Amino acid sequence: MTQLKCASRTLDLGRVQVMGILNVTPDSFSDGGHLYRASKLSVEQALVHAAAMLSEGASMIDVGGESTRPGAAPVSVQEELDRVIPVIERINAELDVVISVDTSAPEVIREAAAAGAGLINDVRALAREGALEAVAQTDLPVCLMHMQGASPATMQLAPSYQDILAEVKDFLQQQVERCAVAGIARERLVLDPGFGFGKTLEHNLTLLRRMDELNALGLPLLVGTSRKSMIGQALGREVDNRLAGSLATAALAVERGGRIIRVHDVAATVDVVRMTEAVLNGCEQE
Ligand code: 7PM
């Protein structure tokens, strides 16, 4: 079965793994404003949240310091470093969990690896100058995500596809080849269709319905639909009422071959994942 080597820890992708989302952007705490610095308090809050998700069954924690919200203001590299590095160091020192870092910046990739990160998660699929080389110089795995449009700031302006599955698949295949050329071993790659990144509701629904077609790429799939607007739009729910909708997409993603499920609500998702796996595989393997 596929093992993913994440720095000092190894993940068994023979079972579906749940990745808990840990936001360290200022809007996720009460600091507000643009002069945010990782205070002792915010690092402590992040550690408590990470520990809670670990106890609920997450095996990975995704630390993100850059808001990827459509239309969000760009964050300086220094600000991103100030937000995420102290949190990665603290979690690495205190908890037995794989730390993923949601970043596109080569400086953050390098410093996060040195601070104990176990996986690089880049919504821009290493498109930023120097990012591919930065990952190649570590031995960490990397998640390559599909996005239509150059950045989260513009991606939702007019999403358009002839055949979304074919286009997402071609894009991801091209990124796999680009990584091979840069010397990033295939065993280090995780792929992600990028729900909500340059996609309408109908695109997102089709992408999930036909996600099994991406298994032909032969690499583990990471899926992030948790609380996203596709659920809000389909159900008419605000962001704080999207748990049931998120769980439905998690079950469907597991059925279609998703190997890592990225979520806010870890405990409920772990139950859905275990139950879905029990139905798919039987209960022999515990
Ligand atoms: C605001 C809007 C804040 C959207 C955060 C988001 C993914 C990701 C994100 C994903 C991978 C969210 C997104 N989404 N990384 N980072 N896959 N690999 O809803 O789908 O979490 S940020």
Side-chain angles (χ1 to χ4, degrees), residues 18-23 25 28 49-50 52-54 56 58 60-62 68-69 102 223-229 231 239-240 242-243 246-247 249-250 261-270:
V18 173
M19 170 188 273
I21 300 170
L22 183 66
N23 276 318
T25 47
S28 61
H49 187 197
M53 293 194 287
L54 177 60
E56 291 173 10
M60 316 173 83
I61 302 291
D62 190 39
T68 34
R69 178 177 294 111
D102 198 337
V223 179
T225 52
S226 183
R227 299 184 188 174
K228 281 190 178 168
S229 67
I231 293 157
V239 69
D240 51 353
R242 295 179 185 171
L243 176 59
S246 298
L247 296 176
T249 62
I261 311 295
R262 180 183 178 276
V263 297
H264 301 85
D265 303 288
V266 172
T269 305
V270 167

Side-chain angles (χ1 to χ4, degrees), residues 210-225:
R210 293 175 49 196
M211 199 183 77
D212 60 307
E213 295 175 30
L214 300 178
N215 293 320
L217 294 166
L219 289 169
L221 298 177
L222 187 154
V223 179
T225 52

Side-chain angles (χ1 to χ4, degrees), residues 93-199:
E94 305 280 344
L95 304 176
D96 183 23
V97 68
V98 171
I99 305 163
S100 156
V101 58
D102 198 337
T103 190
S104 302
E107 300 86 345
V108 179
I109 292 169
R110 272 190 283 272
E111 293 209 27
L119 182 139
I120 306 300
N121 175 28
D122 184 6
V123 301
R124 293 178 187 78
L126 310 180
R128 211 176 260 179
E129 191 177 337
L132 184 69
E133 294 75 14
V135 167
Q137 286 161 13
T138 71
D139 66 353
L140 298 182
V142 58
C143 178
L144 305 165
M145 199 195 78
H146 174 272
M147 167 163 50
Q148 185 179 83
S151 75
T154 56
M155 67 189 179
Q156 288 303 106
L157 293 181
S160 152
Y161 300 86
Q162 290 284 325
D163 176 343
I164 186 167
L165 264 295
E167 289 170 50
V168 167
K169 194 172 162 187
D170 283 358
F171 172 86
L172 292 174
Q173 181 59 44
Q174 281 170 27
Q175 305 319 305
V176 169
E177 284 161 22
R178 190 169 164 260
C179 286
V181 170
I184 302 172
R186 198 178 156 77
E187 294 68 40
R188 294 169 58 192
L189 303 182
V190 174
L191 303 178
D192 184 335
F195 287 96
F197 286 84
K199 286 136 189 132

